[in-house]
Amino acid sequence: MEHHQSETSIASTTSESTEAQAAAQPATAAAAISAREADTGRLVLPKSVLVVLKAGGRAPQLKEGRRKVKVNGSEPFQKVYDHLRRILQTTSSLFLYVTSSHIAPSPDQSVANIAVLFGRRNAKGMYVVDVDYAIEPAWG
C-alpha cells in the first residue's frame, strides 16, 4: 500500500510540475530561442536565415516572389551574392549592404554571424536580415 501511495504522490507532483512548466513557457518561438540561449549561457547560431533583398539606386527590382530567400546559416555570405547574380542574370559588380547598419558584409563571413549581429527575429523565431543591393557603391 505504501508503495502505491508514493507512486500517486510522484504522479501528482509530476502533473503539477508539468502544468507549471506549461504556464512558464514563452508565448512565441523567438522567446523560446532566447530562453534556450539564456539557459545555456552561450549564443545559438541559427541553422537558417531569411534574407530579404531590396533594390537600391539604379539596380533592377526583383519580382515579388524572389525578394526573400532562405539561406543555410553556415553558408558564407558569398552565397547571397551568387544567388542574386543568378536571379539578375548579371556578372557585373554587385554591392550588398545590411540595411540596419549600412555595412557591406565580407563575402566569407557566415550568414548566421551576420544574422546574429545585424538581423532581427520574426514572429516564428527565425532570423531575418534585410539586405539592400546596388550595381554601384551606395555608401562611402
Side-chain angles (χ1 to χ4, degrees):
M1 259 324 207
E2 291 176 338
H3 189 316
H4 179 68
Q5 288 176 345
S6 65
E7 286 179 359
T8 304
S9 65
I10 291 171
S12 65
T13 303
T14 304
S15 174
E16 290 170 5
S17 67
T18 304
E19 289 171 9
Q21 287 174 351
Q25 286 185 354
T28 65
I33 293 170
S34 295
R36 188 174 345 126
E37 289 172 359
D39 288 346
T40 61
R42 62 188 173 97
L43 184 63
V44 177
L45 291 177
K47 292 182 181 178
S48 63
V49 175
L50 184 64
V51 177
V52 180
L53 300 165
K54 296 183 220 170
R58 291 183 283 175
Q61 294 287 330
L62 294 176
K63 293 180 182 177
E64 186 66 37
R66 299 215 171 197
R67 292 181 187 157
K68 296 179 182 179
V69 60
K70 193 173 180 181
V71 181
N72 185 334
S74 64
E75 296 287 347
F77 197 70
Q78 180 66 45
K79 289 287 186 179
V80 178
Y81 280 94
D82 296 342
H83 176 75
L84 192 53
R85 276 198 177 93
R86 193 170 46 254
I87 290 174
L88 296 175
Q89 299 176 349
T90 184
T91 57
S92 63
S93 296
L94 276 178
F95 299 90
L96 275 62
Y97 303 94
V98 175
T99 305
S100 63
S101 64
H102 301 295
I103 66 144
S106 171
D108 63 343
Q109 183 76 299
S110 80
V111 173
N113 285 342
I114 293 167
V116 169
L117 292 171
F118 304 108
R120 58 185 164 80
R121 289 195 179 151
N122 63 13
K124 294 179 182 178
M126 178 179 248
Y127 275 95
V128 178
V129 177
D130 296 309
V131 175
D132 293 326
Y133 64 92
I135 54 175
E136 52 193 34
W139 289 281

